[in-house]
Amino acid sequence: MLIDSHVNLHAPQFDEDRDTVIARARDAGVEIMVEISDKLSTFEATHALAMAHDDVWCTVGVHPHEAKDHLDVTADTLAVLAKRPRVVGIGECGLDFHYDLSPRAEQEAVFRVHVAAARATGLPLVVHTREADDRMARILAEEMRVGPFQFLMHCYTSGQELADKAAEMGAWFSVSGIATFKAAEDVRAVIRTMPADRIIVETDCPYLAPVPHRGRRNEPAYVGHVLQALADIRGWSREEAEARTTDAFFALFDRVPRPVGR
């Protein structure tokens, strides 16, 4: 089955045709979408999408860009919101030292709150990391020593060393449309080394549309192009890639019920 593990359907880019976009995804064979929370002020919209559609689930969390506006967020707050129906993960959260839209110390503090929430709830942590490899590796290792938690390195485009360290800690990885970009051979090289049973796919729509749609608004209907790219990179058949990523998704997002026989 086709699963898009990371969509931003609440984004304003979809305000004019959100229902049509969801319908196109279904027509393309996408059976599950995970709608990602990026800040608490839009969580109600994110959760409403999950409640309105049987094939949409959601997370709760704060993107590192928004950390400066969520310094008072607590693990208990996130854990309470995570008890709502159809919430299946904590995040998107992490570190983004490329844009630095929030001070780095504040990004780190808010990220650690999310780790605590993931640990408390048992839900997987959706991790964003960009140009912060050393610091991310250090935080993950420190927090893992406090207590175990499951985590996903979303849209992974960071270095091999962080990938190896995260894999040793049990991380899952998601592959995005960047894997189809001509100049992304370094990303493909890392994908070849990811644990075969812990890889899933995503669009991160409306961003990062895969070839042949690059430069346009991305949407969940395009996740099949990402899956095919993963298959080509790993030397898998399309069917094997679909089976592996499906199994990996349900192993990580275990609050999402797996359809009987799928």
Side-chain angles (χ1 to χ4, degrees):
M1 60 191 303
L2 280 176
I3 300 171
D4 191 343
S5 65
H6 198 109
V7 302
N8 299 284
L9 292 171
H10 65 283
Q13 291 91 327
F14 296 116
D15 283 351
E16 300 300 319
D17 61 349
R18 189 170 286 109
D19 289 341
T20 302
V21 168
I22 293 172
R24 268 200 299 271
R26 293 168 179 156
D27 290 344
V30 180
E31 297 184 45
I32 292 174
M33 292 164 271
V34 181
E35 159 70 11
I36 301 296
S37 174
D38 57 357
K39 52 188 174 182
L40 296 189
S41 62
T42 57
F43 174 68
E44 295 301 334
T46 286
H47 187 248
L49 279 165
M51 294 299 292
H53 302 281
D54 289 343
D55 47 1
V56 178
W57 303 79
C58 74
T59 66
V60 58
V62 176
H63 192 285
H65 290 344
E66 313 294 336
K68 64 183 182 299
D69 299 320
H70 294 78
L71 299 180
D72 58 348
V73 70
T74 66
D76 286 344
T77 297
L78 294 171
V80 168
L81 292 173
K83 290 180 180 179
R84 291 194 188 184
R86 306 191 71 79
V87 178
V88 298
I90 303 294
E92 169 183 5
C93 57
L95 305 175
D96 193 310
F97 292 174
H98 177 77
Y99 288 109
D100 278 327
L101 295 184
S102 287
R104 294 182 178 186
E106 294 178 359
Q107 292 184 46
E108 177 179 331
V110 173
F111 179 41
R112 288 184 187 271
V113 167
H114 284 72
V115 175
R119 191 184 292 118
T121 61
L123 293 177
L125 188 72
V126 180
V127 177
H128 173 109
T129 183
R130 188 171 184 187
E131 296 181 18
D133 288 23
D134 291 346
R135 193 69 194 129
M136 177 58 71
R138 193 174 308 123
I139 292 172
L140 290 172
E142 290 171 359
E143 291 292 340
M144 197 61 71
R145 286 193 290 271
V146 174
F149 56 96
Q150 291 186 313
F151 64 102
L152 168 69
M153 304 298 277
H154 128 76
C155 187
Y156 192 81
T157 57
S158 293
Q160 186 68 60
E161 184 175 356
L162 175 58
D164 292 342
K165 290 177 178 178
E168 289 173 4
M169 288 183 262
W172 274 253
F173 296 84
S174 64
V175 174
S176 72
I178 292 174
T180 70
F181 296 177
K182 184 177 180 180
E185 182 52 41
D186 56 338
V187 173
R188 289 186 284 274
V190 176
I191 291 171
R192 293 185 187 101
T193 72
M194 291 174 178
D197 60 343
R198 284 183 267 139
I199 306 175
I200 61 179
V201 291
E202 63 167 278
T203 58
D204 199 14
C205 66
Y207 318 107
L208 306 177
V211 175
H213 302 287
R214 188 175 182 186
R216 307 175 201 169
R217 182 190 67 176
N218 200 5
E219 57 183 76
Y222 302 159
V223 75
H225 296 294
V226 180
L227 183 71
Q228 185 61 59
L230 173 62
D232 294 343
I233 292 164
R234 295 294 300 233
W236 298 337
S237 67
R238 168 71 177 238
E239 292 74 19
E240 182 180 4
E242 195 167 322
R244 285 184 177 276
T245 55
T246 297
D247 288 346
F249 175 86
F250 286 111
L252 179 64
F253 289 100
D254 57 6
R255 191 177 280 189
V256 181
R258 183 166 186 161
V260 176
R262 303 305 302 273

